[in-house]
Amino acid sequence: MDTDLICNFKKCRKRLNTFAWVTSCSHIFCDEDGTKEFNKCYKCPACETRLATNLDIIRIDLQPSEQYKSMVLAGQKPEVIMEICTRALSFWTYQAHQEMTYQEHVTEKVKDKCAQLEQYYEQIVSQTQAEIASLKKLYSDSKKNLDSISKKFHEVSEKLIQKSRQYQKLQSNYESLRRRSVSASVFEAGDSGKDVPKNFTIPLSSGDGFLQKEHSRSSSRSSSPVQRKFVMFPRATPDHAIQNKFTLPLGTPTK
């Protein structure tokens, strides 16, 4: 068992092995703290007991010399020596009990603090687990929503591609029908004798080739006859417009 005494000053509590101050109320202090406190007033720094007489406070050497050990109790009666030893042992027992009580108090405080920390961290762990579960659920819902949106996106993309193809097909049909409609309307106007725009070209998609007809018609007040010229062009694939046109020289008699 450790036999070293500990300074009873709360802010010090260092082990004593040289000089120390002992009080009649069974407390002991290191040389530095005892000198500083007892120079202020004669009051125990541990229990605040008033120390009235000179023998209530003594300064002792914890490592006495052999001569001091031989002479300190020399000449005393055995009962006095035994009483002094009993009181000295009681002082040491009180100090050991006091230190044990103090350590138990510190241990209880540490246990309470550990229990509080354990409870606090259990709450933190519980909250964290709840948040993790909530985040997992949110992640699962978001993944399902993303999969649904991706599926809809692919469906809409396929529909868009189909609609684009239909649109291109309809646009091509529309252009073909428009060209045929314009050609038919021009021929009907020419056959009915109405005024037709000068120098127009009509591509025909039927027959053995394209027939380009050029009309040069004077105004209704002019007396000159209408000149018509027909030119046969080589066979070509339908729906191809011919950019170059060939006309017979003016003045060629028409029948």
Side-chain angles (χ1 to χ4, degrees), residues 6-13 20-52 56-58 91 94-95 98:
I6 296 176
C7 179
N8 296 156
F9 196 68
K10 294 180 180 180
K11 295 181 180 180
C12 180
R13 295 196 53 79
W21 290 85
V22 179
T23 63
S24 58
C25 56
S26 299
H27 291 106
I28 189 169
F29 304 95
C30 65
D31 195 23
E32 294 82 2
D33 292 330
T35 302
K36 182 177 64 177
E37 294 295 328
F38 294 134
N39 284 334
K40 295 179 182 178
C41 62
Y42 293 104
K43 182 189 291 186
C44 179
C47 61
E48 298 183 354
T49 302
R50 296 291 302 178
L51 305 173
D56 288 338
I57 306 171
I58 60 173
F91 178 86
Y94 173 76
Q95 286 292 320
Q98 180 177 256

Side-chain angles (χ1 to χ4, degrees), residues 63-241:
Q63 294 180 354
S65 60
E66 294 296 329
Q67 186 179 3
Y68 178 80
K69 293 177 183 179
S70 300
M71 301 299 297
V72 64
L73 294 177
Q76 301 292 337
K77 295 180 180 180
E79 56 269 20
V80 174
I81 296 173
M82 291 299 297
E83 185 177 358
I84 293 173
C85 292
T86 302
R87 292 185 181 183
L89 290 174
S90 297
F91 178 86
W92 188 91
T93 304
Y94 173 76
Q95 286 292 320
H97 175 73
Q98 180 177 256
E99 182 63 22
M100 187 181 297
T101 303
Y102 175 79
Q103 294 297 336
E104 289 177 354
H105 174 70
V106 172
T107 304
E108 290 295 328
K109 288 182 67 176
V110 171
K111 286 182 179 180
D112 293 340
K113 189 65 177 290
C114 289
Q116 293 177 0
L117 290 174
E118 184 177 359
Q119 184 179 2
Y120 172 76
Y121 285 113
E122 284 179 356
Q123 294 178 355
I124 295 295
V125 169
S126 177
Q127 293 178 359
T128 305
Q129 289 177 350
E131 291 178 358
I132 291 173
S134 177
L135 290 174
K136 285 183 178 179
K137 184 178 179 181
L138 181 61
Y139 169 76
S140 178
D141 295 340
S142 300
K143 187 176 181 180
K144 291 180 180 179
N145 190 18
L146 179 62
D147 293 339
S148 177
I149 292 174
S150 299
K151 185 177 180 181
K152 290 181 180 179
F153 172 76
H154 289 302
E155 291 177 356
V156 171
S157 299
E158 291 177 358
K159 289 181 180 180
L160 177 61
I161 293 172
Q162 293 177 0
K163 294 293 183 182
S164 299
R165 291 175 181 173
Q166 292 177 2
Y167 172 76
Q168 292 176 359
K169 186 176 180 180
L170 290 173
Q171 185 73 17
S172 177
N173 293 336
Y174 167 75
E175 293 293 336
S176 177
L177 291 174
R178 186 178 64 82
R179 288 195 296 269
R180 292 178 183 178
S181 176
V182 171
S183 300
S185 63
V186 171
F187 276 117
E188 289 176 0
D191 293 338
S192 62
K194 297 180 180 180
D195 291 337
V196 183
K198 298 179 179 180
N199 297 326
F200 62 89
T201 303
I202 303 170
L204 297 178
S205 60
S206 62
D208 295 335
F210 284 98
L211 178 62
Q212 186 178 63
K213 184 186 295 182
E214 180 178 328
H215 291 277
S216 298
R217 180 174 298 185
S218 61
S219 62
S220 59
R221 295 182 182 179
S222 176
S223 60
S224 61
V226 178
Q227 296 181 0
R228 297 183 180 178
K229 300 173 184 178
F230 300 92
V231 178
M232 293 299 296
F233 290 94
R235 183 182 182 86
T237 57
D239 299 333
H240 286 187

